[in-house]
Amino acid sequence: MSVTEGVLPPITTPMDDNGNIDYDALRAHIDRLEDAGVHGIIPCGSTGERATLTREEHEQVIETTVETASTTVLAGTGASSTEEAIQLSQHAADVGADGVLIIYPYYSWPSNEHVVRHYEAIADAIDIPLVIYNIPKRTARNLEPDATVRLAEHPDIAGIKESAGDINQIYELLRRTHDMEFDVLSGYDSQALSTLTLGGTGITSVAANVFPETVCELFEAAREGELERGRQLHEEILEIETAMNLQTIPVAVKAALDIVGVHGPHVRPPLYEADQDTREKLEDFLDDREPA
């Protein structure tokens, strides 16, 4: 599949008791997800705690993911600095990533006019597809549809992970880019079914870290037009998404993965491990479910 099709989980970055990255656990997590049927892997996204990884760690996580994965690797390489994003993206391309996922620059707070130039500069500097990542709640800026459509004209910008939380904006993007080589992926599990049935091509699913088979079933149901089955799975995924958001992502996600025996719950400050109340709620939630 392409870098914009199917279920692509933004994966957690496993860490040990001392806060060091556990690369063996990372490899095992990737293998587990691929065995469950995901179509690609996204390392170094928000769920992967990109903001607190060192440059060396960032590059090593991407290298390890490329070495381990047999599916598409869409590497998170966004940064506040255009030059840093170019360097990270070039490294990802050099080590074999299939594409890069670039968040709207945080903290710098560029206008839409300026961010178009930012994305174009990165796309011009690399030879693999670029996917835009729009998530206003983390960047304080929304990439408006007019700017997205302009970027869709670039031959090396393949699509957008749309996490504005606005289904009307998703529909507008799908409508206006319908005849262009540009895809729209759902950035939220809760909007996955709607996005796919409206014409979207993929799900960048946090829930798939814990329940990959369920999310893959939803994708297949939507693709096959089995809307009643899709609706039932959507209800399940809404419950999963609520559980994964009991604390800031990926705190509850890692706690859930620890409970089901995938990898430890450790996160890196300024995030801290899930409190006892959250763990108890997750244990109750997971008690009647069997993640892949």
Side-chain angles (χ1 to χ4, degrees), residues 169-186:
Q169 180 160 300
I170 289 174
Y171 177 69
E172 181 176 352
L173 292 176
L174 288 165
R175 179 179 59 80
R176 293 178 63 182
T177 62
H178 179 73
D179 295 324
M180 306 171 74
E181 293 186 4
F182 185 83
D183 294 327
V184 177
L185 300 90
S186 173

Side-chain angles (χ1 to χ4, degrees), residues 228-239:
E228 180 54 29
R229 176 61 176 151
R231 187 195 63 75
Q232 294 170 357
L233 290 162
H234 172 71
E235 294 293 333
E236 290 184 39
I237 288 171
L238 285 179
E239 294 179 358

Side-chain angles (χ1 to χ4, degrees), residues 77 81-90 100 102 105 113-128 130 132 150-151 154-157:
T77 56
S81 159
T82 301
E83 181 56 33
E84 182 181 4
I86 288 173
Q87 291 174 7
L88 289 168
S89 299
Q90 288 175 333
V100 293
I102 308 285
E113 179 63 33
H114 290 170
V115 88
V116 167
R117 294 164 64 181
H118 167 80
Y119 280 116
E120 289 174 339
I122 301 167
D124 288 342
I126 58 175
D127 58 3
I128 57 175
L130 182 157
I132 301 160
R150 285 177 60 191
L151 288 167
H154 194 291
D156 296 318
I157 297 180

